[in-house]
Amino acid sequence: MKKIEAIIRVSKFEDVKQALYAVDIQWFSYWDITGLGRSTEDQIVRGQVFQSSYIQRRMLSIVVRDQNAEKTIKAIMNAARTGEAGDGKIFVMDIENSYRIRNGEDGPESLYIK
C-alpha cells in the first residue's frame, strides 16, 4: 500500500477531486495549509492587495493499494498542473498495514468497501 500526499493550489482542488473520482479513487482526506516558499502570492485584505510569502495550499492524503498508486499520481499531476511555479508537490510513502476499526479487517482489503 502507498500513502500519497499532494500539496496543490486551492484553485485546482475541484479539478483534482474530479480527476481522482474518474480513476475510481473515492475516498481521501484533505485540509487547508499555509506554507512558505520563494514565491509570493497576492493577498486581498479589505479590498487592498498585498504581496505575501505565506502561500495558501490544500493538502490531500490518500492511501491506495500498490496497483492504484501510479494512476492516482498521474490524475493529480494532470489535474493540478498549470505550468507555473507553485503548482505543488506529491510525496509517496510505503504503508506497512491498515486496519478497519469497525470489524478489525486489515491489509489492503481494509481500504475499500467490498
Side-chain angles (χ1 to χ4, degrees), residues 38-57:
R38 282 191 265 160
S39 63
T40 60
E41 287 192 344
D42 291 340
Q43 304 285 326
I44 300 174
V45 179
R46 295 187 183 130
Q48 297 287 329
V49 177
F50 298 93
Q51 272 205 344
S52 172
S53 61
Y54 296 107
I55 302 169
Q56 302 301 309
R57 294 290 182 260

Side-chain angles (χ1 to χ4, degrees), residues 8-16 56-58 79-80 82:
I8 63 170
R9 297 175 187 270
V10 174
S11 63
K12 297 300 278 180
F13 177 72
E14 287 299 321
D15 294 340
V16 170
Q56 302 301 309
R57 294 290 182 260
R58 190 152 288 162
T82 67

Side-chain angles (χ1 to χ4, degrees), residues 85-104:
D87 277 350
K89 298 273 192 278
I90 298 174
F91 305 98
V92 181
M93 296 151 272
D94 288 324
I95 296 294
E96 188 175 321
N97 207 351
S98 68
Y99 298 87
R100 187 185 309 268
I101 295 171
R102 175 175 42 95
N103 60 11

Side-chain angles (χ1 to χ4, degrees), residues 55-88:
I55 302 169
Q56 302 301 309
R57 294 290 182 260
R58 190 152 288 162
M59 178 177 269
L60 287 70
S61 178
I62 311 161
V63 178
V64 297
R65 294 176 178 156
D66 288 339
Q67 65 264 28
N68 294 333
E70 194 62 34
K71 71 177 183 179
T72 302
I73 293 164
K74 285 181 181 178
I76 295 167
M77 287 184 69
N78 291 334
R81 181 178 293 131
T82 67
E84 301 292 324
D87 277 350

